[in-house]
Amino acid sequence: MQPPQPPAAAPSGATPDPRRKRVPGRVPPSAPVPPRRSGGAGSAPSGRRDTRRPAGRPQGARPPARPGLPMSAHDWFAGRLLDVLTGRQPLTMLAGKVRDEAYQQLWELHAQRADWRPRGSRGRTPFVYRCHAYRTYRGALEVCAVVCLDRDVFRALAFRLESGGARATSGYGPERWHCTAVAAR
């Protein structure tokens, strides 16, 4: 416990206000602000000679996604297709981003894959476990994704993305990607 501090002396020419009470541990507004360390968050204190680092994120772990950066097209489509197939979003949410043949395939998959929809309130929210994209020689993306529906319940989702080009009026991202084929097992 610290000994009580004497009241701060008023600046010359000013009289202390008797209505203001001194709160222990609070810095008066006229006190100088200590300078900040240069080096930013996570840097070692000045004068430290020890080169060891404190335990942090394990090696190989992904840093959290920075807000403001757009998601890659294949990851975005994998998430949206999973939302549609699990019944969390309507099929119409992908209107303009899915071509006619793929839209029909997705409609049929939605009807066939009733086992993908959650039963009851128990279990996890379905998520994309892994997603890999392979670029074809014509520039299209062939994507395969592993989705987790519940504990130890994994399924496969495959789809094809084609770029709409600069003149396209709809699609995802600056290249205006469109889904042209979908399959799920």
Side-chain angles (χ1 to χ4, degrees), residues 73-74 77-78 81 97-103 105-106 109 131-145 157-164 176-184:
H74 62 278
F77 271 98
L81 291 171
K97 295 175 179 59
V98 177
R99 297 284 186 224
D100 293 337
E101 303 83 26
Y103 198 84
Q105 291 170 348
L106 195 56
L109 283 173
C131 188
H132 299 283
Y134 303 96
R135 191 171 294 273
T136 64
Y137 72 95
R138 291 188 176 165
L141 294 176
E142 296 283 342
V143 183
C144 63
L157 179 64
F159 54 96
R160 181 182 175 92
L161 299 177
E162 293 182 8
S163 176
R176 306 292 186 187
W177 293 101
H178 290 91
C179 182
T180 57
V182 183

Side-chain angles (χ1 to χ4, degrees), residues 84-180:
V84 168
L85 291 174
T86 56
R88 290 186 293 171
Q89 293 289 333
L91 182 60
T92 55
M93 80 168 284
L94 290 173
K97 295 175 179 59
V98 177
R99 297 284 186 224
D100 293 337
E101 303 83 26
Y103 198 84
Q104 184 64 34
Q105 291 170 348
L106 195 56
W107 184 263
E108 292 168 4
L109 283 173
H110 185 267
Q112 293 171 358
R113 298 290 166 200
D115 60 328
W116 284 39
R117 290 187 272 291
R119 293 180 205 109
S121 62
R122 298 175 64 190
R124 291 183 176 170
T125 301
F127 63 95
V128 178
Y129 182 71
R130 284 198 181 124
C131 188
H132 299 283
Y134 303 96
R135 191 171 294 273
T136 64
Y137 72 95
R138 291 188 176 165
L141 294 176
E142 296 283 342
V143 183
C144 63
V146 176
V147 295
C148 180
L149 300 178
D150 200 0
R151 285 195 185 108
D152 302 328
V153 179
F154 294 90
R155 298 289 184 259
L157 179 64
F159 54 96
R160 181 182 175 92
L161 299 177
E162 293 182 8
S163 176
R167 291 187 284 180
T169 58
S170 65
Y172 177 77
E175 295 185 33
R176 306 292 186 187
W177 293 101
H178 290 91
C179 182
T180 57

Side-chain angles (χ1 to χ4, degrees), residues 43-54:
S43 65
S46 61
R48 179 174 174 177
R49 298 184 203 295
D50 190 5
T51 58
R52 293 176 296 159
R53 300 292 300 166

